[in-house]
Amino acid sequence: MLLLLALLAADVPKPGSDSAQVVVFRSGTLVGGAISCAVHEGGAKLTSLPPGRYAVLSVTPGPHDLVVASEAKDTFKIDAQPGATYYAKCTVGAGFMAGHPHLTSSTEAEFVRMSEKLRPVIGGSSTSK
């Protein structure tokens, strides 16, 4: 089960001992600004990151494939361990007809460095496998 946690500050709480979490974030640059970074798993949309936003996804332990796509698809794979926090950065590169979102592994330090300029995505929850 995945749950989108809407946070009012860039302080990311620790996950419970029976879950893990993925912090996905996107800088506020103008490059690719018209392209949303929509994150999916198993066909279900988990969140959509406009520029300058972040979201914290609570995930069950085990393998997860988080996908972003437009003309091309990019997958961020993790084997989530209980109590762990993973970081993924969404960037948008050039494409033929539209920008291509990319989801790459990041670090807590990079998120903290950027968090002053990031705001949380406000939303509900999503359930996936």
Side-chain angles (χ1 to χ4, degrees), residues 8-101:
L8 298 178
D11 296 324
V12 176
K14 299 288 183 201
S17 61
D18 60 345
S19 65
Q21 62 191 11
V22 181
V23 178
V24 290
F25 62 98
R26 181 175 175 189
S27 73
T29 63
L30 294 177
V31 176
I35 304 296
S36 180
C37 185
V39 181
H40 296 81
E41 183 177 32
K45 183 176 177 181
L46 305 178
T47 190
S48 187
L49 296 173
R53 297 291 183 139
Y54 74 93
V56 180
L57 305 173
S58 180
V59 299
T60 56
H64 292 275
D65 291 348
L66 303 181
V67 176
V68 292
S70 63
E71 292 177 334
K73 178 172 91 169
D74 196 22
T75 303
F76 177 70
K77 295 177 177 271
I78 61 167
D79 186 9
Q81 301 300 308
T85 299
Y86 303 87
Y87 294 85
K89 181 178 181 180
C90 182
T91 56
V92 177
F96 179 67
M97 296 293 285
H100 290 180

